[in-house]
């Protein structure tokens, strides 16, 4: 948390803290939240990092220019605000826009980085709302295809398989699906937000605010949307094309998406209707592999897996065709001049079919050759989900601010049907199959927050308190059916089932105490009581009632900040946090592709002690920010994989607590405006993480030697990450952007035996370059053209990721 001069405190709310190859206005300065020119900017902190980042420095040469500028104390010498920032830095975010960040969000979210809608429009090829996060420091969204329902978020200390180790909100409404901690049903419900209604996104790294559950141990993302002040509307048509070539798959896949939004206001009442329809085809998401080629067949490709074992590629599966409809209505009523109520209702529907492509022939004819992967990779999917939320929120700058948010999310219909087996000859599946069902899975959450700041936001003491409750209910049976190809198959016996619920209640409090004009101390704590109830598992004729469990934990938080006017801000933060197991980790019994997953009802919560030192230096043309961080985690929950039978391609996944792991590293962010030439904005970030297993009482796998994992790198966390963005605004109507993203290779096993990452199911090191041009043809019409993965790199993150993809869009607003 950073202490602001008195002139800022009168204006806004303050928050504390901060085959292929592996916005505030400081005294005497502009308001940064509304400042279109503000660009944070970073330098190296050690010779060791500097050596490794020499290449990255080429993409952000503005660093030297910005550092060479003398400190400015006269605000009249600062550049006139012109543009938005791609990264808003600092230990606080301050905003006076009632439709941007709410007072309670600004008080409780110590945001470190952020991006505004105007910057997204200029720099990012957006199809889905999560695309807007693409260039924020140390974040990665696992988006395999347009409309991906499994787009999980990776943070600086947790990988893509840790969906429950981060939190995503939209105006205080949780989008994170804490029903699971995985890459399937654990992805945030991004569809609850239309890209057109996003005003800005802000990010807090680490669990340094008592207002958020221990799931914030990775990051908290807050999406602020805007309400109309007059009648307005927009229509956007987006097209993408991706020529894809890998093994025997040579095809072009595309997406056509139509988005519309209309809003109006009648006095105290505002109404927003938004929706989009996307018709999308994806590249193969999975492949069928085997240690040997089926007898009597020709074709296929000789290959190895990530363990460097034989895993010959027999065909492609998961060629997904989705038709996705998303609709949302929002009504806001100003009950009083300082109290607003907002009700939102959303409906989402996804009709999808996945096909398989064999590379094998038998007697001259294509064949699936009895390979089970072709069956599991061919399916029909129907999903219809609804969500509701009600928010009551004050917009006061007097002694109190209050916010109450209630939400409900329900999977009304969610079923996937697929064949039981692949035919020995030909490509015709038999009628017998299975239906995996999630219908009835649902969750409800409630949050209340209040902040007291006697005399206004300039109060010496700011006390905030809150209460939270949630319930997550998992229903996940798999049935047998005589006709899996029917649109609504009749089911018979239960093959397997996992069901159960988790419940959490929490109370929290924290105080911001301005010790002096330069120093501010924030202390807080969060009490949580968690229960796991109604757990039951069925596997064939065996039924197991899982034990009911109750746990309670207290998580203290502490932050001390020092600021020197407009130039320097230094924040030290330390926090304890607990992440309790999700219903899926405790109870889900499911087969996904060729992987059988077993639950573990006795998991202990992740227990993290997180610390961070963050230094921010404001410069005339940008800012420099560096953070040193360390997370020590006890009882970390990890998923591990083993083969069911030696030599089999069928995997058994199980969960366990690892005694002690740690992640430490450094994060550097650089950004500036009008560098080298007028209109050129450069930004970039580099993160290094050393994440390792420190103590483990069990074995890394059934075949691992004792202590084989000790000292090894943690799964799913790359050591180096980098992104850089250059935007040139040639004219007020035309902007051109070139960007690049890099992630180092990573391990997926605790004992680091996956030595061959550049293959299917491995995790490659990867670099992707993107480009975008936006032309505002007229005041109400804009066109864009862009390309993702400009260099057409082929890389795997378990799945094969998109190759070069062309984007075009036309937007009309009024």
């Amino acid at each position: 948390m950073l202490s602001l001069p008195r002139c800022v405190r009168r204006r806004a709310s303050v928050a504390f803290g901060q085959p292929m190859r592996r916005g505030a206005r400081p005294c005497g300065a502009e308001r940064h939240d509304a400042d279109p020119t503000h660009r944070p900017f970073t330098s190296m902190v050690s010779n060791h990092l500097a050596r490794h980042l020499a290449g990255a420095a080429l993409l952000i040469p503005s660093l030297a220019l910005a550092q060479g500028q003398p400190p400015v104390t006269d605000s009249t010498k600062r550049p006139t605000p012109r543009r938005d920032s791609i990264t808003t830095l600092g230990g606080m975010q301050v905003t006076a826009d009632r439709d941007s960040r709410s007072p309670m969000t600004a008080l409780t979210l110590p945001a470190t980085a952020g991006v505004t809608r105007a910057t997204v429009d200029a720099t990012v090829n957006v199809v889905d709302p999560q695309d807007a996060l693409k260039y924020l420091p140390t974040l990665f969204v696992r988006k395999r295809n347009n409309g991906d329902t499994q787009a999980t978020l990776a943070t600086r200390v947790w990988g893509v398989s840790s969906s429950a180790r981060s939190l995503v909100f939209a105006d205080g409404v949780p989008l994170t699906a804490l029903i699971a901690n995985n890459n399937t049903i654990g992805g945030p419900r991004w569809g609850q937000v239309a890209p057109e209604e996003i005003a800005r996104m802000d990010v807090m790294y680490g669990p340094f605010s008592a207002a958020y559950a221990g799931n914030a141990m990775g990051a908290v993302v807050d999406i602020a949307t805007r309400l109309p002040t007059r009648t307005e509307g927009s229509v956007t048509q987006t097209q993408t094309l991706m020529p894809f070539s890998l093994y025997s798959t040579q095809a072009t896949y595309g997406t056509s998406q139509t988005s519309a939004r209309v809003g109006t206001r009648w006095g105290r009442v505002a109404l927003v209707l938004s929706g989009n329809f996307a018709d999308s085809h994806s590249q193969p998401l999975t492949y069928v592999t085997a240690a040997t080629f089926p007898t009597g067949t020709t074709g296929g490709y000789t290959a190895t897996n990530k363990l460097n074992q034989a895993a010959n590629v027999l065909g492609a599966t998961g060629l997904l065709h989705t038709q996705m409809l998303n609709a949302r209505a929002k009504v806001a009523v100003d009950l009083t001049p300082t109290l607003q109520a907002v009700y939102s209702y959303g409906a989402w529907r996804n009709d999808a079919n996945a096909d398989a492509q064999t590379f094998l022939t038998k007697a001259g004819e294509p064949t699936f050759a009895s390979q089970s992967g072709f069956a599991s990779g061919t399916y029909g999917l129907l999903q219809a989900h609804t969500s509701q939320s009600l928010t009551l929120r004050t917009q006061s700058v007097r002694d109190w601010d209050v916010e109450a948010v209630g939400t409900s999310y329900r999977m009304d219909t969610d079923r996937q049907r697929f064949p039981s087996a692949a035919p020995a000859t030909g490509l015709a599946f038999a009628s017998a199959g299975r239906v995996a069902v999630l219908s009835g899975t649902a969750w409800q959450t409630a949050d209340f927050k209040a902040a007291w700041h006697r005399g206004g936001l300039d109060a010496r003491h700011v006390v905030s308190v809150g209460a939270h409750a949630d319930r997550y209910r998992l229903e996940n049976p798999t049935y047998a059916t005589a006709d899996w190809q029917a649109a609504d198959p009749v089911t018979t016996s239960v093959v397997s089932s996992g069901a159960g619920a988790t419940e959490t209640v929490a109370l929290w409090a924290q105080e911001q105490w301005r010790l002096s004009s330069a120093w501010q101390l924030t202390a807080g704590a969060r009490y949580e009581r968690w229960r796991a109830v109604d757990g039951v598992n069925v596997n064939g004729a065996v039924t197991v009632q899982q034990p009911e469990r109750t746990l309670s934990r207290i998580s203290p938080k502490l932050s001390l900040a020092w600021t020197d006017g407009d130039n320097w801000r230094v924040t030290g933060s330390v926090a304890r946090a607990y992440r309790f197991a999700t219903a899926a980790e405790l109870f889900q019994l499911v087969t996904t592709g060729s992987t059988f997953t077993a639950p573990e009802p006795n998991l202990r919560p992740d227990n993290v002690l997180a610390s961070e030192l963050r230094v921010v230096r404001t410069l005339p043309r940008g800012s420099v920010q560096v953070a040193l961080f360390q997370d020590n985690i006890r009882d970390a929950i990890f998923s591990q994989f083993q083969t069911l039978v030696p030599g089999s391609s069928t995997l058994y996944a199980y969960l366990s607590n690892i005694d002690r792991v740690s992640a430490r590293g450094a994060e550097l962010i650089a950004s500036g405006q009008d560098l080298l030439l007028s209109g050129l904005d450069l930004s970039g970030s580099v993160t290094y993480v050393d994440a390792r297993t420190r103590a483990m009482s069990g074995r890394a796998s059934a075949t691992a030697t004792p202590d084989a994992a000790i000292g090894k790198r943690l799964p799913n966390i790359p050591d180096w990450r980098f992104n850089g963005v250059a935007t040139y605004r040639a004219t007020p109507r035309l902007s051109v952007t070139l960007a690049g993203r890099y992630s180092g290779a990573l391990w997926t096993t605790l004992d680091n035996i996956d030595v061959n990452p550049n293959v299917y199911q491995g995790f490659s090191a990867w670099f992707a370059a993107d480009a975008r041009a936006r032309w505002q043809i007229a005041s109400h019409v804009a066109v864009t053209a862009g390309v993702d993965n400009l260099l057409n790199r082929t890389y795997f993150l378990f799945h094969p990721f998109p190759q070069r993809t062309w984007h075009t869009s036309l937007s009309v607003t009024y």
Side-chain angles (χ1 to χ4, degrees):
M1 152 177 51
L2 300 174
S3 177
L4 284 181
R6 299 174 66 90
C7 60
V8 173
R9 293 176 177 271
R10 297 192 186 102
R11 290 292 302 273
S13 299
V14 182
F16 77 91
Q18 311 277 303
M20 307 132 219
R21 245 178 134 67
R22 200 179 160 159
R25 179 181 62 86
C27 294
E30 305 88 78
R31 272 180 42 215
H32 287 175
D33 65 304
D35 176 8
T37 67
H38 179 58
R39 299 281 192 187
F41 211 98
T42 349
S43 67
M44 303 303 159
V45 290
S46 69
N47 290 334
H48 172 74
L49 289 177
R51 288 194 300 269
H52 286 82
L53 302 178
L58 296 176
L59 292 180
I60 47 176
S62 55
L63 178 60
L65 295 177
Q67 286 180 324
Q69 299 294 328
V72 173
T73 57
D74 182 356
S75 63
T76 63
K77 297 180 182 179
R78 291 180 178 271
T80 301
R82 295 188 302 109
R83 293 186 293 275
D84 255 330
S85 63
I86 189 169
T87 310
T88 302
L89 300 179
M92 66 181 63
Q93 297 284 346
V94 183
T95 178
D97 182 356
R98 74 179 285 163
D99 291 332
S100 185
R101 302 187 83 212
S102 70
M104 286 305 307
T105 301
L107 279 167
T108 58
L109 186 73
T112 299
V115 64
T116 62
R117 173 61 189 273
T119 297
V120 172
D121 285 344
T123 60
V124 186
N125 297 315
V126 173
V127 177
D128 302 307
Q130 60 267 34
D131 293 330
L133 294 170
K134 186 180 294 185
Y135 305 122
L136 285 180
T138 328
L139 295 183
F140 170 68
V141 179
R142 173 189 175 267
K143 180 183 169 181
R144 306 165 300 168
N145 56 283
N146 291 326
D148 192 355
T149 60
Q150 301 175 18
T152 53
L153 179 67
T155 61
R156 65 188 184 187
V157 294
W158 296 105
V160 292
S161 61
S162 298
S163 62
R165 291 187 175 111
S166 59
L167 294 171
V168 182
F169 296 89
D171 298 323
V173 175
L175 307 187
T176 304
L178 296 182
I179 194 71
N181 183 44
N182 57 29
N183 289 337
T184 52
I185 64 172
R189 275 25 189 186
W190 301 104
Q192 293 188 65
V193 177
E196 292 78 13
E197 64 180 329
I198 296 174
R200 63 181 299 119
M201 292 182 168
D202 294 284
V203 183
M204 174 186 75
Y205 299 93
F208 301 119
S209 173
Y212 298 93
N215 307 85
M217 60 199 307
V220 178
V221 175
D222 177 72
I223 303 173
T225 66
R226 62 185 183 87
L227 291 171
T229 58
R230 57 175 179 80
T231 299
E232 60 181 54
S234 66
V235 177
T236 301
Q237 180 64 38
T238 301
Q239 305 288 143
T240 75
L241 285 176
M242 177 183 60
F244 186 86
S245 176
L246 187 60
Y247 299 120
S248 291
T249 303
Q250 310 283 333
T252 297
Y253 303 101
T255 296
S256 176
Q257 178 171 279
T258 303
S259 303
R261 179 181 184 270
V262 61
T264 191
R265 177 177 284 274
W266 305 281
R268 294 185 175 186
V269 179
L271 172 66
V272 180
L273 302 175
S274 62
N276 68 278
F277 175 76
D279 189 309
S280 181
H281 294 262
S282 80
Q283 78 280 9
L285 297 179
T286 52
Y287 291 97
V288 180
T289 62
T292 59
F293 290 101
T295 302
T297 65
T298 58
Y301 294 83
T302 301
T304 56
N305 62 16
K306 64 183 182 180
L307 304 179
N308 218 24
Q309 301 167 340
N312 303 304
V313 179
L314 310 182
T317 60
L319 289 113
L320 192 62
H321 176 211
T322 62
Q323 292 183 312
M324 192 175 296
L325 178 65
N326 200 2
R328 179 159 297 277
K330 182 185 294 186
V331 180
V333 181
D334 294 334
L335 302 176
T336 73
T338 60
L339 179 63
Q340 183 184 71
V342 180
Y343 171 76
S344 179
Y345 178 86
W348 175 80
R349 182 182 176 94
N350 180 34
D351 291 274
N353 290 282
D355 294 325
Q357 175 190 13
T358 183
F359 302 155
L360 301 175
T361 59
K362 191 172 187 177
E365 296 294 328
T367 179
F368 287 145
S370 299
Q371 298 298 303
S372 61
F374 288 110
S376 60
T378 303
Y379 57 84
L381 179 64
L382 177 62
Q383 299 173 296
H385 300 180
T386 55
S387 61
Q388 299 182 72
S389 67
L390 177 63
T391 301
L392 292 173
R393 177 182 293 130
T394 62
Q395 302 288 345
S396 172
V397 292
R398 298 177 183 174
D399 289 355
W400 285 93
D401 275 302
V402 178
E403 179 178 276
V405 181
T407 75
S408 174
Y409 190 96
R410 183 174 178 83
M411 299 183 183
D412 302 289
T413 300
D414 198 304
R415 62 174 182 263
Q416 181 175 332
R417 48 188 175 83
F418 52 94
S420 298
T425 58
L427 305 178
F429 291 104
S431 296
R434 295 182 178 181
V435 183
V437 177
L438 284 164
S439 305
T441 296
W443 53 88
Q444 300 82 38
T445 70
D447 278 278
F448 173 80
K449 301 176 183 178
W452 176 75
H453 33 70
R454 187 174 182 181
L457 296 175
D458 192 33
R460 183 176 180 182
H461 295 278
V462 179
V463 179
S464 53
V465 297
H468 168 86
D470 65 51
R471 178 178 171 87
Y472 289 82
R473 175 72 190 179
L474 175 71
E475 296 284 353
N476 191 195
T478 298
Y479 299 98
T481 181
D483 185 9
W484 73 273
Q485 298 180 73
D488 188 6
V490 177
T491 58
T492 54
S493 59
V494 175
V495 177
S496 65
S497 180
T502 62
E503 300 172 346
T504 307
V505 293
L507 298 172
W508 61 270
Q510 66 186 21
E511 180 181 11
Q512 301 175 18
W513 183 14
R514 184 163 51 86
L515 304 174
S516 69
S517 60
W519 291 91
Q520 183 166 290
L521 176 69
T522 298
R526 185 181 183 91
Y527 166 80
E528 293 171 297
R529 184 176 183 271
W530 171 90
R531 297 176 64 221
V533 297
D534 303 331
V536 59
N537 288 119
V538 178
N539 188 12
V542 179
T543 299
V544 177
Q545 300 290 334
Q546 302 294 3
E548 181 174 323
R549 298 175 62 210
T550 301
L551 296 172
S552 298
R553 296 291 188 271
I554 297 178
S555 305
K557 321 284 182 179
L558 186 66
S559 179
L560 180 64
W562 172 82
T563 182
D564 176 23
D566 299 343
N567 299 320
W568 289 96
R569 298 194 292 271
V570 181
T571 306
S573 302
V574 62
R576 174 75 68 184
Y578 297 89
R579 190 208 51 103
F580 298 95
T582 63
E585 289 171 304
L586 298 169
F587 308 125
Q588 190 176 38
L589 183 66
V590 67
T591 299
T592 304
S594 60
T595 301
F596 173 78
T597 302
E600 173 49 71
N602 297 305
L603 289 171
R604 299 182 297 277
D606 292 334
N607 175 357
V608 61
L609 178 63
S611 56
E612 180 189 78
L613 177 65
R614 185 172 294 273
V615 181
V616 180
R617 175 70 164 99
T618 302
L619 298 164
R621 296 184 181 181
S623 297
V624 176
Q625 183 170 184
V626 59
L628 305 177
F629 56 88
Q630 177 161 325
D631 286 13
N632 294 317
I633 307 101
R634 295 186 180 275
D635 296 327
I637 301 173
F638 277 93
S639 177
Q640 302 172 66
F641 294 86
Q642 288 298 316
T643 55
L644 280 173
V645 179
S648 170
S649 61
T650 301
L651 300 177
Y652 163 66
Y654 61 97
L655 294 149
S656 64
N657 290 104
I658 307 304
D659 294 3
R660 186 165 58 88
V661 302
S662 70
R664 62 192 62 161
E667 177 182 71
L668 303 106
I669 308 167
S671 184
Q673 60 162 10
D674 294 324
L675 299 167
L676 302 180
L677 72 159
S678 177
L680 179 62
D681 299 342
L682 304 177
S683 66
S685 69
V686 182
T687 303
Y688 174 77
V689 180
D690 181 19
R692 298 181 184 272
T693 300
R694 302 299 176 183
M696 184 174 179
S697 55
R699 291 175 181 260
S701 69
T703 58
T705 59
D707 299 332
I710 305 303
K712 299 296 177 61
R713 290 195 174 271
L714 289 182
N716 304 314
I717 305 173
D719 51 358
W720 288 96
R721 298 181 194 181
F722 161 78
N723 69 57
V725 183
T727 299
Y728 178 57
R729 305 173 192 267
T731 73
R733 293 180 178 270
L734 176 65
S735 64
V736 180
T737 294
L738 180 64
R741 296 167 291 143
Y742 169 80
S743 177
L746 51 84
W747 307 95
T748 62
T749 58
L750 282 165
D751 50 355
N752 296 180
I753 61 172
D754 45 330
V755 295
N756 189 27
N758 305 318
V759 295
Y760 170 58
Q761 296 189 352
F763 281 73
S764 317
W766 58 274
F767 173 79
D770 311 321
R772 177 177 174 87
R774 185 178 191 272
W775 181 27
Q776 190 77 38
I777 298 176
S779 59
H780 300 294
V781 182
V783 295
T784 68
V787 57
D788 286 340
N789 195 0
L790 176 64
L791 302 178
N792 202 28
R793 296 294 187 94
T794 298
Y795 61 97
F796 292 92
L797 302 179
F798 189 97
H799 309 272
F801 263 57
Q803 296 179 1
R804 184 185 292 124
T805 305
W806 301 95
H807 293 252
T808 61
S809 71
L810 171 65
S811 298
V812 179
T813 62
Y814 68 89

